[in-house]
Amino acid sequence: MKTTALQALYQEVAPCTSLDLNTLLPSGIQREVGHFNVFNLADFWETSQLRPDAAYPCRSFYKISFLRSRSRAEYAHQTIDIAPDTLVFSTPREGFQWWPAERQQGQFCLYSAEFMLPVLGGLTLDELPLFQASGLPVFQLTPAEAARAAAIFTHMHAELACDYAHKYDLLRAYVLELLHLGQKRRPATALHPAPAAARLASRFVELLERQFPLTAAQQQVPLRTAKDFADQLAVHVNHLNKVLKDNTGRTTTDLLGGRLAQEAKVLLHQSDWTLGEIAERLGFVDVAHFSHFFRRYANVSPGAFRTQQAVVI
């Protein structure tokens, strides 16, 4: 198991649609900085029924989904029922299980961090208020907003298919418009975090994500407590907790636990490691401690979760 690059993603996508790999790859994308593509969700539903073998865990890319059917998103610390006309912003650091409740309709686009650099004015995607504010970036749209989102995705499909020399500049603008559509839904107080605090929160996330994914039998999560992270970041653990609580709405321990649970879910679905091996890699003393921890986040035992059918996205 390894982080899924876009090139590898296309190789997984091709069998799930009626399109071959060359057709799926956008024309001229190799000349661009970063990667972008857009898909109709119905194309995947028709062929694969969104089985786990069509899942894309441990992403190295960003995703915006415009979901027009009912489904459920299960994050490590929260489950969200998704109604029609919902916009979901996914990042490499916040994975979740997606459970379709009915025949799926909608669109989604994939893009790398590098693809958006020319239009972010020196910021990175993770520094945008949309991804730093508390709460998950899942928004049910008003009828007017849904019509706008549908139009944006229609434009994306049209531009990607045309031979306009500057089409990727337009596509970046469309992605940016969707990001702003989500960002408008954030509370005004969350739009201007203190720069120093935001940097510390960003450094914590980077340090946390650097521990994953676990791909080799000898790997083990090195930082397992709030104090471990505080020591690495050269701050007091109470200060780190306050900064993360102010910027994300969650404590250091909750963020770490959520990320460990997310990795556990991926390993349970995507690896053939035993429960004991997964527990050891994640830093638990035994399977019993791991099972107790996992139940707290997933409401089922690790063994029961392993038999469930879902899409890890």
Side-chain angles (χ1 to χ4, degrees):
M1 185 181 64
K2 62 182 180 180
T3 299
T4 306
L6 282 174
Q7 186 75 22
L9 168 67
Y10 293 145
Q11 294 174 350
E12 295 185 44
V13 166
C16 300
T17 72
S18 59
L19 304 176
D20 60 30
L21 182 59
N22 291 331
T23 304
L24 283 169
L25 284 168
S27 62
I29 191 63
Q30 301 302 335
R31 297 192 299 272
E32 288 299 309
V33 176
H35 298 269
F36 173 89
N37 211 337
V38 61
F39 300 94
N40 285 306
L41 190 54
D43 293 340
F44 293 81
W45 185 258
E46 290 289 344
T47 305
S48 69
Q49 294 293 297
L50 294 174
R51 295 186 303 270
D53 57 4
Y56 317 121
C58 303
R59 298 182 314 278
S60 61
F61 51 88
Y62 293 76
K63 180 179 181 181
I64 303 175
S65 303
F66 179 42
L67 304 177
R68 313 213 71 171
S69 306
R70 293 182 302 108
S71 57
R72 188 173 83 250
E74 182 184 297
Y75 292 83
H77 61 286
Q78 183 179 356
T79 297
I80 299 177
D81 289 322
I82 296 177
D85 293 341
T86 292
L87 210 55
V88 180
F89 297 87
S90 309
T91 76
R93 71 175 192 235
E94 189 78 66
F96 59 92
Q97 300 266 11
W98 184 48
W99 302 79
E102 58 189 0
R103 185 185 189 87
Q104 292 297 298
Q105 298 290 329
Q107 319 278 336
F108 66 92
C109 65
L110 307 170
Y111 57 98
S112 65
E114 294 80 8
F115 182 75
M116 293 302 292
L117 286 178
V119 294
L120 292 180
L123 293 174
T124 65
L125 283 166
D126 288 336
E127 291 176 306
L128 293 178
L130 174 65
F131 299 123
Q132 290 198 357
S134 60
L136 296 166
V138 178
F139 307 103
Q140 186 172 9
L141 304 180
T142 65
E145 290 170 334
R148 183 58 192 153
I152 292 171
F153 275 100
T154 297
H155 293 324
M156 284 180 171
H157 283 284
E159 290 302 331
L160 199 58
C162 79
D163 57 2
Y164 176 49
H166 302 288
K167 66 181 180 182
Y168 288 103
D169 293 331
L170 270 176
L171 289 166
R172 289 184 180 94
Y174 292 140
V175 173
L176 195 59
E177 187 171 355
L178 289 173
L179 291 171
H180 278 294
L181 181 57
Q183 201 156 281
K184 285 180 180 179
R185 304 294 295 271
R186 290 299 197 189
T189 54
L191 296 180
H192 303 288
R199 284 196 297 272
L200 179 59
S202 180
R203 287 171 58 205
F204 167 81
V205 170
E206 180 183 358
L207 198 60
L208 177 61
E209 287 302 317
R210 200 178 296 164
Q211 303 186 111
F212 306 102
L214 299 176
T215 59
Q218 66 270 23
Q219 277 184 277
Q220 192 171 35
V221 175
L223 304 178
R224 289 285 281 103
T225 68
K227 189 177 185 307
D228 290 339
F229 282 90
D231 290 345
Q232 285 289 317
L233 295 167
V235 297
H236 193 278
V237 66
N238 292 341
H239 177 62
L240 178 61
N241 273 323
K242 183 179 186 308
V243 166
L244 293 176
K245 186 71 174 178
D246 290 344
N247 280 265
T248 71
R250 298 160 64 190
T251 65
T252 312
T253 300
D254 190 31
L255 288 165
L256 174 58
R259 187 60 181 88
L260 286 171
Q262 175 190 329
E263 188 68 11
K265 290 178 179 181
V266 170
L267 292 173
L268 287 167
H269 270 286
Q270 303 293 326
S271 79
D272 57 1
W273 293 351
T274 66
L275 296 186
E277 289 170 333
I278 293 174
E280 181 182 358
R281 306 297 177 262
L282 293 175
F284 293 93
V285 294
D286 53 37
V287 173
H289 283 83
F290 170 56
S291 296
H292 179 73
F293 161 85
F294 190 83
R295 281 181 178 274
R296 193 148 40 95
Y297 284 90
N299 296 318
V300 295
S301 69
F305 180 86
R306 180 164 247 173
T307 65
Q308 292 178 348
Q309 299 294 297
V311 180
V312 185
I313 58 177

